[in-house]
Amino acid sequence: MKNTLEWVNVVLGGWLFISPWVFGFTGHAGAAWTAWIIGAVVVILALWAMTDQGTWEDWINALAAAVGFFSPWFVGYMTLTAAAWNMWVIALAIFVVALWAAYSPMKTATT
């Protein structure tokens, strides 16, 4: 189950990374760079979490999602409706999936 959740976060992080091009807000550096950085962090940590027995990657992804959720206010792109709503929805989804993954047991090999 944990690997499935990590794959969900890979997809969500990937979407966040490409969303500035999809929604056309690459011209707003704050919104675009926030999406690129948080998207890349989520993808990298979710992939790393698939090879590790710990949960620290999931907790960092949850933290990254929380930062992303509040970024429209902190970075100042509330007027970019598509960018703000995209960040809120995807960050909330990443947060929920990351916490779910953190509390999901790893599948262990049996001999």
Side-chain angles (χ1 to χ4, degrees):
M1 180 66 165
K2 183 166 170 38
N3 278 351
T4 302
L5 295 169
E6 302 302 350
W7 278 113
V8 170
N9 264 347
V10 167
V11 170
L12 291 170
W15 168 256
L16 200 55
F17 188 85
I18 66 167
S19 65
W21 291 288
V22 173
F23 289 123
F25 59 90
T26 56
H28 189 286
W33 277 101
T34 301
W36 291 328
I37 291 169
I38 292 176
V41 165
V42 169
V43 168
I44 291 166
L45 289 175
L47 289 171
W48 193 344
M50 288 186 229
T51 66
D52 188 21
Q53 293 294 318
T55 60
W56 67 269
E57 299 94 343
D58 300 316
W59 291 107
I60 300 295
N61 268 347
L63 178 63
V67 169
F69 186 85
F70 292 105
S71 69
W73 292 286
F74 295 150
V75 178
Y77 59 93
M78 288 290 300
T79 57
L80 296 173
T81 308
W85 275 101
N86 181 63
M87 183 60 78
W88 290 326
V89 170
I90 301 302
L92 183 60
I94 291 169
F95 185 80
V96 169
V97 172
L99 290 181
W100 190 359
Y103 286 105
S104 291
M106 285 294 293
K107 188 178 217 177
T108 57
T110 57
T111 56

